[in-house]
Amino acid sequence: MMHEQALPESNMRTSDGPVFSPAARSLAQVISYITHPLFIPTLVTFLILQSIPEYMVAFKPLSKKFAFDILYFRVVVITIFFPLLTVLLAKQLGFVASVYMKTQRERIIPYVAIIIYYFWAFYTFLQEGRAPRFYTAFFLGSFLAVSISFITNSFMKTSLHSIGWGGVVGFLLALMWGMHMNVSLPLVITFFVTGIVATARMVLNAHNPAEIYTGLFIGIITQLAACWFLVI
């Protein structure tokens, strides 16, 4: 909902801030990998299917081996496989120096590609009409978040980890306010995880506080806007 393409960067900038131990930096690196924004759409899909599967029953008849496997496959291909493939191809063609994409300029091609992938996901779910509006709104919000981040990329290297997890917070707030669902516990857990992720990115010196807070704001506000547009 939202990617730090395709792997979290490290050792990217110098800072006059606190110096963390190698163990702390290693832990922060692990956290950055396992909370990577590439995985967020699949995570959100999993949480919806586990908690409120009745909203997604239209996808069940399409299943082949296990319940909702085609939906999982679709989300994974669009939001994980294609972005990773784009970054790897860009590296092979010399458009980016490494998969860490340490500069704002190196992010341009992956940004454009991911904007297209998220719009594709949103548009196809909307046109099919199988998915509930709030699920389609999540992909619209993700598309808007990456599009805005593409613009802010000209001024700062906005944290896409923060955009992604801010998007999850915004999505849960949208479910609470727009759908009147009781998501208090998931929301508290997500706030906690978001704080850990933001801290890890700063421990790695990958982003400054302004880039973290900007990402959180973009992620939250775009999900609320998407819900207002499609659901409320």
Side-chain angles (χ1 to χ4, degrees), residues 147-161:
S147 299
I148 294 173
S149 181
F150 176 67
I151 297 171
T152 63
N153 185 62
S154 300
F155 310 99
M156 65 171 66
K157 198 164 71 65
T158 310
S159 171
L160 289 170
H161 274 79

Side-chain angles (χ1 to χ4, degrees), residues 34 43 113 136 183 187 211:
I34 64 177
L43 173 63
T136 303
V183 293
L187 187 58
E211 294 166 344

